[in-house]
Amino acid sequence: MKVLVIGPGGREHAIVRSLLADPNVSEVHAAPGNAGIGKLVPTHAIDANDPDAVAALAAKLTVDLVVVGPEAPLAAGVSDAVRAAGIPVFGPSKAAAQLEASKAFAKQVMAEAGVPTAMARVASNAEEAADALDTFGAPYVVKDDGLAAGKGVVVTNNRDEALAHAQTCFDVGGSVVIEEFLDGPEVSVFVLCDGRNTVALSPAQDFKRIYDNDEGPNTGGMGAYTPLEWAPEGLVQEVIDRVAQPTVNEMAHRGTPFVGVLFVGLALTKRGTRVIEFNVRFGDPETQAVLARLKTPLGSLLLAAAKGELDKAEELRWSKDTAVAVVVASENYPDTPRTGDRIRGLKKVDELEGVHVIHAGTKLDEEGKVVSAGGRVLAVVALGTDLVEARERAYDGVELVQLEGGQFRTDIGRKAARGEIKVAATNGSVTGTLPVTKAKA
Ligand code: AMP
Ligand code: GLY
């Protein structure tokens, strides 16, 4: 089968790498790709957010499957255009992608489907925002209602800062969702969906803040590891039963079936498992770690989802190893990242046992050298027999990467490796549903 992968980042590089390991996949193309993807497969310089351009490329290449990586093309309707051209596509329609593109929409669907999540209110002016902040109290959680690449959320004890973030969203004509604070370890679970059926991948943990010990501003994600030895038994089943399947059922019921990955971001709180957010695509950098362990051929699996045949797909098989991905970001990320710097040492990283480099914001300069081209530049991904070994290998790799001003976290997977993550005993039970309430007019 021939596959076209849409997107420019680390997630797409990881997907391409896994597709190339699938014996049923004969040819892979990517658009627009990055320097790492370009070393593996032909890339095409089109606008990934342009539905007609993507559909035309897919038709020209006569691919059997299009895999859409990031949220922006999904929200722009790329899947709809490809589907309308009669080509199977792994990625939700524009309507279904609202589960990520609008946090308020996601909250409505969760309420309708009985999915446990944080209590929340939508606010569209300063008065409503202040009222909602005082209802829930500190720590304050204020989320830009639209797409913000993981950077639209402010969690703070400072009420003025919370109000200021809301105001910056109002100033550009937006609204915010203000929530109760969810306390407890966070987990990312990717659930493959074919419109009806759901199959969960192995849970991972992401590190959202820029600095060690979860300090500094939120980013798209600075590292990840999987599996989670400390996760309660039955967590994945609970996510399917209480979150993913009800959501998929609700979306089908609304006439906007969900095909693609439902990314369930969870907090394991004292009061039970709660959804923090939905995304409608694979997580980045979790995917780099999760796919490193997946033994089931990826192309066949994604094609089955695209065709509504996940119930016929083979059962997932996983490596016994643990995978760790450590992101190397450019100077000044997540603010205005510095770009255009040479990246050296990558060949040496790839030579390490159990280690490989996944490119994110990279490109080739005029001389054909790899340079930084984005905030998150690359991830070093390592497999090891346990988390301790995988971390050691990943950080050995990171030490070899030379990038002026490059920054990375030194504590990816550290707490888990030390056995320091505690999940409050909830017997895996979910207590109640907390629906969204509209702010007072
Ligand atoms: P989101 O874009 O909704 O995933 O939020 C980004 C990050 O903000 C999450 O990964 C959490 O670390 C944090 N966050 C979001 N919502 C909450 C909440 N209700 N309580 C605590 N932390 C949250
Ligand atoms: N790593 C989190 C995300 O992809 O949104």
Side-chain angles (χ1 to χ4, degrees):
M1 102 174 78
K2 280 204 236 174
V3 188
L4 170 61
V5 177
I6 300 300
R11 162 187 44 222
E12 290 76 35
H13 187 175
I15 290 171
V16 166
R17 187 174 180 273
S18 290
L19 288 173
L20 290 173
D22 180 340
N24 301 310
V25 173
S26 53
E27 204 174 311
V28 179
H29 292 259
N34 58 34
I37 295 172
K39 285 206 172 130
L40 300 177
V41 301
T43 57
H44 305 267
I46 59 160
D47 177 1
N49 295 335
D50 178 343
D52 294 336
V54 173
L57 178 64
K60 191 176 98 186
L61 296 171
T62 62
V63 295
D64 304 287
L65 174 68
V66 175
V67 179
V68 184
E71 59 274 26
L74 295 167
V78 163
S79 295
D80 305 78
V82 175
R83 219 167 262 133
I87 301 166
V89 53
F90 183 82
S93 65
K94 182 176 181 170
Q98 288 302 304
L99 278 179
E100 174 167 358
S102 166
K103 293 196 185 277
F105 175 81
K107 284 287 184 185
Q108 283 163 12
V109 171
M110 284 190 242
E112 213 55 53
V115 170
T117 185
M119 284 187 285
R121 276 204 197 172
V122 181
S124 10
N125 60 47
E127 203 186 320
E128 288 173 5
D131 194 45
L133 290 175
D134 295 336
T135 303
F136 299 129
Y140 303 104
V141 181
V142 181
K143 302 187 175 187
D144 187 343
D145 186 31
L147 283 182
K151 287 170 266 175
V153 178
V154 166
V155 181
T156 175
N157 280 308
N158 183 327
R159 187 173 178 279
D160 292 337
E161 197 186 323
L163 272 177
H165 179 57
Q167 192 59 50
T168 55
C169 299
F170 302 148
D171 287 346
V172 293
S175 55
V176 295
V177 173
I178 292 177
E179 293 190 357
E180 71 171 320
F181 178 75
L182 297 175
D183 201 10
E186 284 182 38
V187 175
S188 303
V189 183
F190 304 148
V191 183
L192 307 181
C193 307
D194 68 0
R196 279 179 311 130
N197 303 293
T198 53
V199 174
L201 304 190
S202 180
Q205 192 168 43
D206 178 26
F207 293 76
K208 285 263 166 56
R209 305 279 185 141
I210 184 76
Y211 303 129
D212 280 7
N213 303 314
D214 299 326
E215 284 170 16
N218 268 325
T219 69
M222 291 298 290
Y225 67 95
T226 181
L228 310 179
E229 290 295 332
W230 50 268
E233 214 182 305
L235 176 67
V236 170
Q237 197 57 47
E238 185 188 7
V239 169
I240 290 290
D241 293 345
R242 298 300 311 266
V243 180
Q245 196 62 53
T247 301
V248 164
N249 294 348
E250 172 63 20
M251 294 302 283
H253 174 73
R254 289 173 176 233
T256 52
F258 189 91
V259 177
V261 195
L262 182 66
F263 167 153
V264 182
L266 298 164
L268 309 187
T269 79
K270 284 203 264 312
R271 294 160 61 212
T273 305
R274 293 278 186 279
V275 174
I276 290 191
E277 65 163 345
F278 281 150
N279 294 311
V280 298
R281 36 85 195 168
F282 283 109
D284 189 334
E286 294 98 314
T287 301
Q288 287 83 317
V290 170
L291 291 187
R293 292 188 60 243
L294 181 67
K295 288 189 154 175
T296 315
L298 183 66
S300 318
L301 196 58
L302 301 186
L303 183 64
K307 288 183 157 179
E309 296 172 354
L310 264 185
D311 47 344
K312 295 187 210 137
E314 69 170 290
E315 196 162 333
L316 299 189
R317 289 175 289 116
W318 297 96
S319 156
K320 286 198 177 69
D321 285 345
T322 296
V324 173
V326 178
V327 169
V328 177
S330 45
E331 186 175 299
N332 215 27
Y333 177 74
D335 200 347
T336 317
R338 157 179 171 165
T339 57
D341 290 295
R342 270 292 298 277
I343 307 162
R344 294 185 173 85
L346 300 186
K347 232 201 207 137
K348 284 202 188 123
V349 183
D350 277 323
E351 283 165 7
L352 295 177
E353 193 186 342
V355 182
H356 62 270
V357 175
I358 293 286
H359 290 237
T362 67
K363 66 172 191 185
L364 297 181
D365 68 6
E366 304 85 64
E367 294 167 33
K369 309 281 190 206
V370 179
V371 297
S372 59
R376 292 185 294 170
V377 177
L378 56 86
V380 175
V381 183
L383 287 166
T385 50
D386 57 17
L387 185 52
V388 172
E389 186 179 61
R391 288 191 76 239
E392 269 169 20
R393 288 178 167 182
Y395 280 108
D396 284 347
V398 169
E399 290 305 329
L400 296 173
V401 176
Q402 294 171 40
L403 168 67
E404 185 80 29
Q407 39 172 348
F408 60 90
R409 281 182 61 158
T410 67
D411 64 345
I412 304 302
R414 187 167 67 197
K415 269 193 188 166
R418 290 178 177 167
E420 289 172 1
I421 301 186
K422 298 279 173 283
V423 182
T426 60
N427 306 322
S429 67
V430 177
T431 48
T433 302
L434 306 163
V436 63
T437 44
K438 227 11 202 154
K440 292 193 292 270

